[in-house]
Amino acid sequence: MGRIAYVNGRYVRHADAAVHIEDRGFQFADGVYEVWAVFGGRLADAPGHFARLKRSLGELRIVPPMSEAALTVVLMEVLRRNAVRDGLIYLQVNRGVAPRDHPFPDPPVPPSLVITAKRVDLAASDARAARGVGVVCVPENRWGRCDIKTVGLLPNVLAKQAAKEAGAVEAWFVDDLGLVTEGGSSNAWIVDADGVLRTRGIQANILRGVTRNSLLGLISDAGLKLDERPFTVAEAKGAREAFITGAGSLVLPVVRIDGANVGDGAPGPVAKRLRALYMSLARGNAA
Ligand code: PDD
């Protein structure tokens, strides 16, 4: 069965799926996106992702293309047509199609909506988590509204390419004070030298990760110590454990930072436990 995408009201062959050359997402990165993990054909952490989509659209004054209920129907139909049980679903809303001019089209044009889905091999994902991954640190060079999930991701693309060329899978952005902000497509965490979980607070210029938010609940339920406070690269290198969270990475242990081992270079007990807890939560809350 071939892959199917949803584009502006139609289910089309993935190979033929296209938007107009004057789509503002294409010309200006004038659009937002969301990514849900999918377990058993259902959306993990669905309400959190819908809420963030609504917020991202609102911040950019892009009109929602349809109601959340209607969007859910389309998302589920894309999963069904692609026979995705475990995987990822990607949704992008652009401001729409108009002759190229920087200000918003006036009168407004209908937003563009694109949805694609792909399967993820959960066994391979688990095997990667069991090995752990490397990250590299890069200077923070993004704009001041990283809380909006926009498709303007060039710094993230360059950072993640640098990571790949260094044999790592994620890049951690580091601000002028030497503090880690977040990953190129994930939030960053450590278990510090005192055994306290640390991750940057969402008042900072980072994406308010939905996976991150779910983990906060799990951490509190498990009675683990948490301090929502940024950490330096040096603290991360001297930490007991490190890991990243996101719809793609779920909870993924980090065992190397800039080539140096974290702890003994193997995934630590807290990250492993939180991954297991998150997987069962996400499977359970998938809607
Ligand atoms: N990225 N920070 C950034 C910069 C991200 O792009 C993401 C997600 C996260 C984690 O957010 P969440 O837990 O809500 O997925 C943090 C998605 C998966 C992506 O770009 O593919």
Side-chain angles (χ1 to χ4, degrees):
M1 193 184 68
R3 286 180 75 192
I4 300 291
Y6 175 92
V7 185
N8 295 327
R10 294 169 56 225
Y11 296 93
V12 293
R13 278 175 10 122
H14 191 274
D16 302 329
V19 293
H20 193 275
I21 55 165
E22 289 207 294
D23 188 293
R24 292 176 61 92
F26 176 60
Q27 288 185 330
F28 296 117
D30 189 359
V32 305
Y33 75 108
E34 268 304 327
V35 181
W36 287 256
V38 176
F39 294 114
R42 298 184 313 172
L43 308 173
D45 278 332
H49 287 283
F50 279 120
R52 188 173 59 193
L53 174 64
K54 190 174 166 201
R55 181 175 179 280
S56 296
L57 290 168
E59 292 296 311
L60 298 184
R61 291 191 278 154
I62 297 176
V63 181
M66 56 179 80
S67 70
E68 185 178 313
L71 263 188
T72 304
V73 170
V74 179
L75 288 164
M76 298 314 283
E77 183 61 13
V78 171
L79 292 180
R80 193 188 68 76
R81 291 192 187 221
N82 289 280
V84 172
R85 300 292 301 161
D86 300 318
L88 288 170
I89 191 155
Y90 173 89
L91 174 155
Q92 181 172 338
V93 182
N94 300 331
R95 194 178 306 279
V97 176
R100 186 175 183 279
D101 189 19
H102 292 69
F104 300 169
D106 184 15
V109 292
S112 323
L113 173 61
V114 171
I115 300 173
T116 58
K118 69 173 182 187
R119 290 180 205 158
V120 168
D121 178 350
L122 276 188
S125 162
D126 283 342
R128 190 164 77 150
R131 288 190 303 272
V133 299
V135 303
V136 297
C137 295
V138 298
E140 178 64 270
N141 59 356
R142 299 175 300 162
W143 73 327
R145 292 304 310 272
C146 294
D147 57 308
I148 305 173
K149 200 162 173 60
T150 94
V151 294
L153 290 173
L154 197 46
N156 309 56
V157 167
L158 297 177
K160 291 193 67 117
Q161 178 63 20
K164 187 175 172 185
E165 287 171 9
V169 310
E170 182 59 297
W172 278 359
F173 290 111
V174 180
D175 71 13
D176 290 345
L177 301 173
L179 297 163
V180 174
T181 56
E182 63 179 330
S185 61
S186 59
N187 289 111
W189 302 69
I190 58 169
V191 179
D192 72 14
D194 300 322
V196 178
L197 277 156
R198 299 258 297 274
T199 193
R200 195 153 199 165
I202 55 166
Q203 69 284 355
N205 184 33
I206 62 169
L207 189 73
R208 300 170 183 187
V210 174
T211 318
R212 174 193 183 284
N213 194 48
S214 285
L215 223 63
L216 293 181
L218 292 171
I219 288 164
S220 148
D221 291 350
L224 297 170
K225 276 190 263 170
L226 167 76
D227 193 357
E228 280 188 69
R229 192 159 58 85
F231 49 85
T232 62
V233 174
E235 282 177 305
K237 287 181 176 166
R240 292 189 193 172
E241 299 183 34
F243 60 95
I244 56 177
T245 57
S249 38
L250 304 171
V251 178
L252 186 57
V254 169
V255 295
R256 274 181 311 282
I257 300 173
D258 293 335
N261 279 354
V262 178
D264 61 3
V270 176
K272 284 201 270 196
R273 180 172 173 207
L274 289 175
R275 180 177 171 95
L277 288 172
Y278 180 72
M279 296 297 271
S280 80
L281 175 85
R283 280 204 176 91
N285 78 15

